[in-house]
Amino acid sequence: MSIEALIFDVDGTLADTEEIHRQAFNAAFQEARLWWNWSPHQYAELLPISGGKERIAAYVATLDQPEAAKRELLGRIGELHRAKTRIFTSLIAGGRAPLRPGVARLIREARDAGLKLAIASTTTPANVEALLETHLGPDAPRWFAVIAAGDKVPMKKPAPDIYDLALAVLGLAPEVCIAFEDSAKGLAAAKAAGLFTVVTPTFWTRTDDLAAADLLLPSLGDPDAPLDPAAAAALGAPCVGLAALERVRAGRTARQPA
Ligand code: XBP
Ligand code: MG
């Protein structure tokens, strides 16, 4: 069965955005006159928690504050996160997080080949639209049959819910789709949804357990920025394209026990 759809994670996969998220969180805390300032180390420790609102709540739980003060802070998460999203989308619109190598090329190749495109992300939908519009043009969000993102499902990654939603709207079985991820929680979600998953980790997820990846590469590569020889050998091509994906996926399927 040939590939009928590509399903992309956003943060870390389409673009290396988590440093911009970190800056946006800190700017929102400062705007709210909160003393919080997440260092890269602190943020890396919070990042495995999916969802910015959930991340703030987890941080509040660690504060050495009376319970009443913590409850008051928890009550402000919605306002804080809306401010953070406003700041993040503004930074993205300013071009602060370019698309990773090969992303624009593969999306365009898939469109030209008539494949369906989908997004499956934990992030807030406004963030997805800002990234797509900034780098692929004002119509880009409509290239995607579904933008499954944020609170559209009750359970965020590593639960498969967001991928299950994307597959349901696509009307396709996982067997004819390929997922693209950057992190262990995203990989777990995609695999739980039954998807062949290509993982391209970033600085933030480089120490994640990615052993379950069907294809683990430093990036998708581009003709003018080809993959290193080892990655190119694993893929059977200098960068990720539909033909290479078909070959690798067919090879994996062929190797599965009868
Ligand atoms: C990554 C996330 C998101 C972002 C922050 O999403 O876990 O929570 O870190 O965005 P994905 P929000 O890799 O699934 O795209 O503050 O909007 O949650
Ligand atoms: Mg991600």
Side-chain angles (χ1 to χ4, degrees):
M1 288 179 284
S2 62
I3 303 167
E4 295 184 38
L6 304 184
I7 309 175
F8 290 92
D9 164 57
V10 174
D11 292 304
T13 301
L14 291 186
D16 191 350
T17 52
E18 291 299 353
E19 174 53 20
I20 308 303
H21 280 296
R22 185 183 75 88
Q23 292 176 19
F25 278 112
N26 287 335
F29 300 152
Q30 192 174 21
E31 210 176 76
R33 303 210 189 309
L34 287 168
W35 69 96
W36 310 342
N37 188 292
W38 290 346
S39 67
H41 178 72
Q42 271 179 304
Y43 193 61
E45 291 194 325
L46 288 164
L47 202 45
I49 300 161
S50 275
K53 296 189 287 294
E54 294 81 351
R55 209 164 289 154
I56 298 172
Y59 175 68
V60 169
T62 69
L63 297 176
D64 182 15
Q65 292 284 317
E67 284 313 308
K70 287 186 179 181
R71 279 196 300 277
E72 191 270 336
L73 289 168
L74 289 174
R76 296 177 59 184
I77 286 179
E79 157 217 339
L80 280 172
H81 195 255
R82 282 188 294 278
K84 175 264 175 182
T85 300
R86 168 175 44 81
I87 295 164
F88 177 81
T89 52
S90 168
L91 292 172
I92 292 297
R96 293 287 300 276
L99 295 183
R100 294 189 66 189
V103 168
R105 173 184 54 79
L106 184 60
I107 285 173
R108 291 196 170 99
E109 182 185 355
R111 272 174 57 77
D112 293 346
L115 271 62
K116 289 183 179 179
L117 292 169
I119 294 287
S121 169
T122 300
T123 200
T124 302
N127 298 346
V128 186
E129 286 152 20
L131 196 65
L132 295 176
E133 288 169 357
T134 301
H135 296 295
L136 295 174
D139 292 336
R142 282 172 290 287
W143 297 354
F144 294 77
V146 54
I147 296 181
D151 298 332
K152 289 187 179 166
V153 291
M155 298 275 287
K156 293 185 175 174
K157 299 174 184 176
D161 301 36
I162 201 74
Y163 278 103
D164 291 340
L165 172 61
L167 288 166
V169 176
L170 286 168
L172 294 172
E175 290 74 18
V176 296
C177 303
I178 289 190
F180 297 83
E181 269 290 349
D182 72 298
S183 68
K185 65 181 188 315
L187 172 59
K191 294 309 293 177
L195 287 157
F196 182 100
T197 307
V198 178
V199 179
T200 53
T202 67
F203 161 80
W204 298 96
T205 59
R206 70 194 185 287
T207 59
D208 281 19
D209 176 359
L210 302 172
D214 294 292
L215 194 55
L216 180 59
L217 298 169
S219 78
L220 298 179
D222 262 328
D224 58 359
L227 294 169
D228 63 76
L235 176 66
C239 56
V240 175
L242 294 179
L245 288 170
E246 287 279 16
R247 279 197 308 274
V248 172
R249 198 178 60 122
R252 293 296 155 81
T253 309
R255 275 211 304 274
Q256 275 172 359

